[in-house]
Amino acid sequence: MTYCVAVRVDQGLVMLSDTRTNAGMDNIARFRKSFTYHVPGERAITMLCSGNLSITQGVKAVLSKAIKESALDPDVETILNCDTMHRAAQIVGDAMRAMQSRYRESIEMGGSGSGASIMIAGQRRGGKPRLYLVYSAGNFIEATEDTPFFQIGEHKYGKPILDRIIRRETSLEDAVKAVLVSMDSTLRSNLSVGMPLDLTVIPTDIYDFRVRTRIEADNEEFARISHSWGAALHKGFKDLPNVLD
């Protein structure tokens, strides 16, 4: 299992993912689920993946192959040279559909699930920050003012804080704190989600990454956020009015 969360606010984009995969109680491994793409001064993109690992790795391989080919042939369209972020989401969706068409039947005949989801977030020069959620069928939806964040994977434990905090006017700093608390809540409640974490932040109209880092299990800043949030919840609970006389 996994947990990935992406937020779009007026000040930019925040993306966070864990690195644990679980194929049974005794088969736990670490795989990167966050991938970044960058043309300095022109566009910055992050892709977060959840679901069948062979499918999502296949999608990434298709995208990477096109980027390499475009260095020799500028007519090859990629997520780094396409006209819009909407078109970038279409390219990811096309790759997802191709992987599903090729492997779904054999994967499911083997008793495994082929379902996968990918979030793609970024901004190109001349456009606005965009966030899309691509489904297994290759179709996708875009984050809006009414729904400014997406989650994939084990999302239920980390959703309450996002529902309460994330709005389009939320600051980039608060959005980062919210996704970290969301992940901390998920880590505490589900063993199939695990450290380390990959955090990416793309400020609006910068076309670059303000943050692109890995948070290890011994990260002191994340530990302080986890401890402070736990203490705040404890205090808030104690301050609630008693129901019983």
Side-chain angles (χ1 to χ4, degrees):
M1 202 57 179
T2 188
Y3 177 48
C4 301
V5 55
V7 170
R8 191 193 79 176
V9 294
D10 287 344
Q11 292 186 5
L13 299 155
V14 180
M15 290 71 64
L16 182 66
S17 67
D18 81 318
T19 54
R20 176 167 293 180
T21 60
N22 188 343
M25 292 298 294
D26 60 349
N27 188 11
I28 297 173
R30 283 169 44 173
F31 282 93
R32 178 178 289 274
K33 303 164 191 175
S34 174
F35 306 96
T36 58
Y37 305 86
H38 185 213
V39 178
E42 202 281 325
R43 73 182 66 192
I45 296 172
T46 297
M47 190 170 73
L48 305 178
C49 303
S50 173
N52 186 286
L53 188 60
S54 65
I55 294 292
T56 56
Q57 285 191 345
V59 171
K60 181 180 178 297
V62 169
L63 301 179
S64 297
K65 182 175 183 290
I67 291 171
K68 289 180 180 179
E69 291 176 348
S70 69
L72 301 175
D73 182 0
D75 290 333
V76 175
E77 188 180 32
T78 78
I79 62 173
L80 289 181
N81 64 19
C82 59
D83 290 339
T84 64
M85 283 301 302
H86 185 272
R87 178 57 187 151
Q90 287 180 326
I91 292 171
V92 174
D94 289 345
M96 173 74 85
R97 188 160 49 251
M99 289 298 105
Q100 292 287 352
S101 176
R102 183 170 185 178
Y103 295 114
R104 171 178 283 176
E105 185 176 355
S106 58
I107 290 173
E108 294 181 351
M109 284 180 62
S112 299
S114 64
S117 301
I118 292 176
M119 294 188 294
I120 178 169
Q123 185 182 15
R124 65 168 187 88
R125 182 172 292 279
K128 296 180 180 179
R130 301 291 190 187
L131 168 60
Y132 299 91
L133 172 56
V134 182
Y135 298 106
S136 289
N139 57 320
F140 57 88
I141 59 174
E142 182 179 4
T144 65
E145 291 184 11
D146 294 326
T147 307
F149 65 87
F150 288 140
Q151 301 166 280
I152 53 178
E154 192 58 69
H155 63 272
K156 56 185 176 290
Y157 303 105
K159 191 172 186 293
I161 181 66
L162 303 176
D163 285 334
R164 290 180 180 273
I165 298 297
I166 300 300
R167 302 288 184 272
R168 57 168 293 180
E169 63 272 14
T170 302
S171 70
L172 208 55
E173 289 75 13
D174 284 348
V176 171
K177 287 190 289 186
V179 300
L180 290 172
V181 169
S182 176
M183 181 64 75
D184 178 65
S185 299
T186 306
L187 290 169
R188 285 180 172 272
S189 299
N190 194 296
L191 292 176
S192 68
V193 178
M195 304 284 282
L197 313 174
D198 289 312
L199 174 66
T200 307
V201 179
I202 303 174
T204 298
D205 295 337
I206 298 298
Y207 318 109
D208 204 344
F209 301 97
R210 176 175 170 183
V211 177
R212 184 168 42 172
T213 188
R214 171 155 287 192
I215 301 172
E216 298 287 352
D218 59 353
N219 184 277
E220 294 183 0
E221 193 170 59
F222 183 74
R224 284 197 299 271
I225 288 175
S226 176
H227 176 76
S228 297
W229 179 245
L233 285 177
H234 222 55
K235 183 181 185 303
F237 180 81
K238 291 293 186 183
D239 290 344
L240 290 173
N242 291 325
V243 176
L244 299 178
D245 294 331

